[in-house]
Amino acid sequence: MKILHHPARNDIMLSTVLHALSDPIRLQIVSQIHKHGEQACKNFEVSIAKSTLSQHARTLREAGVTRTRAVGTQRLLSLRSEDLNERFPGLLDAVLRSCEQENLDPASL
Amino acid sequence: MKILHHPARNDIMLSTVLHALSDPIRLQIVSQIHKHGEQACKNFEVSIAKSTLSQHARTLREAGVTRTRAVGTQRLLSLRSEDLNERFPGLLDAVLRSCEQENLDPASL
DNA sequence: TCTATAGTTCGGTAATTAACGAACAATTGA
DNA sequence: TCAATTGTTCGTTAATTACCGAACTATAGA
């Protein structure tokens, strides 16, 4: 099977990570992995074609945000929390918390 | 003179902020404001045309990352730290620290 | 071996983006 | 009032991006 390329920890670039996280769909994906743990693509509740989802998964993986491992026909995605915390301390947590806060916001008006 | 539109605090969107910060040039601008305080565009050390710089300044302002005020012919940009901290606690600091860390990284290999 | 499941890759389209220079607007100071 | 400074806007170009469906690969299970 195909080799899934993941950047080494020190090759993870801030602007690339921020770009990967700047898309609402990818933010949803990351948030869902955070909430429910390692997830296969088929479990993501996003309203896009599977080819599009596959591309988003690739973007996240190549940015160093997620790790993908193959199990059977599935690709399980997890967050590279340790690598990200080591390289950009506090960043992932801040984004995840911001993400949750934003989703609870209609009351703030 | 033209009105400079700034989003209200509660209208600042996470994905928009992350997108604004995902461009290396804009990250440099934000980092320089953080280091040296409120800055006019002419002070930014970036190697792009001034029309391009003006567009980047607009992107940051419209995302809610910076505030722009007019003083004479200058536009002074500052970070909306308070608004951002209120809305997305810890996010801006994490990005700024990540930014600094990345710029000191050649030793990490 | 055949079928279903899970993802990936490819080709194409439409939209967005970053970049530039030229022209413009606003303000300051001579 | 005139020139210099500072920044914005406009028109264009080239590159990137998000999206889709169709075709493909790989694995699991009947």
Side-chain angles (χ1 to χ4, degrees), chain A residues 30-39 43-45:
Chain A
V30 166
S31 175
Q32 287 178 32
I33 299 174
H34 175 62
K35 278 206 204 84
H36 307 116
E38 193 178 43
Q39 291 290 307
N43 294 325
F44 293 123
E45 292 177 8

Side-chain angles (χ1 to χ4, degrees), chain B residues 6-81:
Chain B
H6 293 81
R9 178 189 285 180
N10 284 323
D11 292 338
I12 299 177
M13 300 296 298
L14 178 59
S15 59
T16 307
V17 168
L18 293 174
H19 172 256
L21 295 173
S22 73
D23 180 275
I25 300 259
R26 290 193 291 263
L27 216 39
Q28 272 185 263
I29 293 172
V30 167
S31 175
Q32 287 179 32
I33 299 174
H34 174 62
K35 278 206 204 85
H36 307 115
E38 194 179 42
Q39 289 292 307
C41 293
K42 62 159 185 160
N43 294 325
F44 293 124
E45 291 177 9
V46 289
S47 52
I48 50 173
K50 69 176 182 170
S51 57
T52 307
L53 175 56
S54 182
Q55 289 305 320
H56 282 307
R58 190 160 89 106
T59 300
L60 287 168
R61 174 171 51 77
E62 292 183 343
V65 175
T66 56
R67 190 176 299 283
T68 303
R69 66 187 180 101
V71 172
T73 62
Q74 304 193 150
R75 301 289 180 275
L76 299 181
L77 307 208
S78 54
L79 297 181
R80 292 181 65 179
S81 308

